[in-house]
Amino acid sequence: MDIRELQEKAKLERQSGNHEEAAKLYKQAYEQTSDKWDGWGLALCYNKLKKYKEALAISEEVYDSAPDFEYIKSTLAQAL
């Protein structure tokens, strides 16, 4: 599976409410790309799964690399 397929599958799993599977896919994608959208998706899924410590770590990482990225601010706040 290439990175685009991985990202698309993660997005579809997240949108269908399967946050456990989506988190696994976003984690794989984020480890490969360090893309802010992959990090946001991973943090969002972690928040949904009540894994706030993990969500906070990813949110802070994304925020540090892209402080103007508005979406990460809500996942960061939720993780706190």
Side-chain angles (χ1 to χ4, degrees), residues 21-72:
E21 183 61 26
K24 290 177 193 169
L25 297 168
Y26 275 123
K27 188 173 190 315
Q28 288 177 21
Y30 186 64
E31 286 171 352
Q32 291 179 43
T33 66
S34 296
D35 182 84
K36 63 186 178 186
W37 286 103
D38 295 333
W40 170 79
L42 179 56
L44 186 78
C45 290
Y46 280 155
N47 275 331
K48 295 282 187 185
L49 295 166
K50 297 182 175 25
K51 295 182 176 181
Y52 300 116
K53 184 179 172 187
E54 293 90 335
L56 181 61
I58 296 295
S59 295
E60 287 176 334
E61 199 174 293
V62 172
Y63 182 78
D64 287 346
S65 68
D68 295 336
F69 183 49
E70 290 296 320
Y71 288 92
I72 203 62

Side-chain angles (χ1 to χ4, degrees), residues 3-13 15 25:
I3 191 64
R4 293 284 163 233
E5 289 173 328
L6 189 62
Q7 290 167 322
E8 190 59 33
K9 186 160 174 36
K11 180 181 173 185
L12 292 172
E13 292 292 346
Q15 289 173 338
L25 297 168

